[in-house]
Amino acid sequence: MTSPTHDCTPEILLIEDDPMIGNSLLRALNDEGIGVEWQRDGQGGEQALRTCQYGMILLDLGLPRRSGMELLQQLRGSGNTTPLLIITARDEVDDRVRGLEAGADDYVVKPFGMMELMARIRAVLRRTARNDVQVIGNGEISLNLQTREVSYRGKTLLLPAREFALLHILIDNPGTIHSREQLETRLYEWNREVTRNAVDVLIYYLRKKFDNDIIRNIRGVGWMVLKHPTPPH
Ligand code: CA
């Protein structure tokens, strides 16, 4: 199996022949906004793996037309390290051990609690997303999510957590105006202490450290960073 070269839209590949389990997984994942491609046998799974690079694979071991174990061995043998969770029946202890030895990251035993499974899936997706994306930006401002360094017009600074969080919120949706209330709410969600005038103070510091233009004020509405900044003259 050669490694696929391009990412595909669904984050998760589900390979499962049991229609009830497949349907409930599909529903639960879609409810979370996670895209799923569902293959119902080993051959379909193999084909999908050849075509796409997924964020994660959920693999049933007992599959028609190629076992899950064969797929797993082939996948890891080809150097593909996509996070993989085995879905297995309670009496397949040997298979679970063999699966982990063959390179599965984790397993769940049928019947499994959907909430626990979802939490584990989310954790894996968060981990891999962090590994993939370390620097985000709008072409002018760039944020390193690992080091908390911000670069703007040739100047790079390590920012305190709250200033970094504010800039991160703005840069996630460049070109969108955020009101003070929206920014305060988001800062609060980020588990940062939000005091009165917090947004104004943080923006004041950011502008002082870089340049007034780093954050644009739309009078009476809120603040934004540009979506397509033009280089300074
Ligand atoms: Ca099965």
Side-chain angles (χ1 to χ4, degrees), residues 81-99:
T81 57
T82 304
L84 186 145
L85 213 97
I86 288 175
I87 304 170
T88 176
R90 196 174 288 280
D91 54 357
E92 294 171 327
V93 179
D94 288 353
D95 279 351
R96 258 140 58 196
V97 174
R98 281 205 300 141

Side-chain angles (χ1 to χ4, degrees), residues 16-18 60-64 110:
E16 167 66 76
D17 62 315
D18 184 313
D60 177 27
L61 288 183
L63 289 168
K110 296 175 194 174

Side-chain angles (χ1 to χ4, degrees), residues 102-122:
D105 295 279
D106 206 349
Y107 62 84
V108 286
V109 179
K110 296 175 194 174
F112 46 82
M114 197 57 78
M115 271 174 66
E116 190 211 335
L117 177 62
M118 292 305 299
R120 282 152 85 172
I121 289 171
R122 278 195 300 269

Side-chain angles (χ1 to χ4, degrees), residues 11 55 123-134 145:
E11 286 172 277
V124 171
L125 288 176
R126 268 200 306 274
R127 257 198 323 270
T128 49
R130 261 204 297 279
N131 290 341
D132 287 352
V133 184
Q134 293 177 353
L145 302 181

Side-chain angles (χ1 to χ4, degrees), residues 11-15 37-39 45 48-49 54 56-58:
E11 286 172 277
I12 290 187
L13 173 64
L14 168 65
I15 313 174
E37 178 175 341
W38 180 12
Q39 291 291 337
L49 286 168
Y54 297 92
M56 191 175 180
I57 301 157
L58 302 178

Side-chain angles (χ1 to χ4, degrees), residues 54-217:
Y54 297 92
M56 191 175 180
I57 301 157
L58 302 178
L59 179 66
D60 177 27
L61 288 183
L63 289 168
R65 305 175 72 196
R66 287 217 80 181
S67 76
M69 192 63 72
E70 278 178 68
L71 281 185
L72 172 59
Q73 285 165 347
Q74 195 178 16
L75 187 76
R76 292 303 191 232
S78 73
N80 187 320
T81 57
T82 304
L84 186 145
L85 213 97
I86 288 175
I87 304 170
T88 176
R90 196 174 288 280
D91 54 357
E92 294 171 327
V93 179
D94 288 353
D95 279 351
R96 258 140 58 196
V97 174
R98 281 205 300 141
L100 290 174
E101 282 173 351
D105 295 279
D106 206 349
Y107 62 84
V108 286
V109 179
K110 296 175 194 174
F112 46 82
M114 197 57 78
M115 271 174 66
E116 190 211 335
L117 177 62
M118 292 305 299
R120 282 152 85 172
I121 289 171
R122 278 195 300 269
V124 171
L125 288 176
R126 268 200 306 274
R127 257 198 323 270
T128 49
R130 261 204 297 279
N131 290 341
D132 287 352
V133 184
Q134 293 177 353
V135 177
I136 58 170
N138 67 347
E140 187 177 58
I141 308 167
S142 74
L143 278 67
N144 187 314
L145 302 181
Q146 285 199 317
T147 61
R148 234 196 288 137
E149 281 175 314
V150 171
S151 299
Y152 177 71
R153 295 186 180 170
K155 189 176 185 181
T156 300
L157 294 173
L158 183 67
L159 291 188
R162 297 203 313 152
E163 290 169 35
F164 190 84
L166 182 82
L167 211 47
H168 192 175
I169 292 163
L170 292 168
I171 215 89
D172 266 345
N173 289 293
T176 303
I177 304 168
H178 298 68
S179 69
R180 175 180 283 105
E181 196 186 359
Q182 285 168 337
L183 290 172
E184 281 175 356
T185 307
R186 291 291 309 277
L187 283 169
Y188 185 78
E189 283 169 5
W190 281 52
N191 207 9
R192 307 279 176 227
E193 187 191 339
V194 182
T195 50
R196 198 171 150 73
N197 296 330
V199 169
D200 301 77
V201 171
L202 293 176
I203 289 172
Y204 171 79
Y205 283 137
L206 285 167
R207 285 175 165 170
K208 205 171 154 190
K209 283 178 182 172
F210 293 97
D211 185 291
N212 272 347
D213 284 350
I214 191 168
I215 294 171
R216 309 295 171 116
N217 178 221

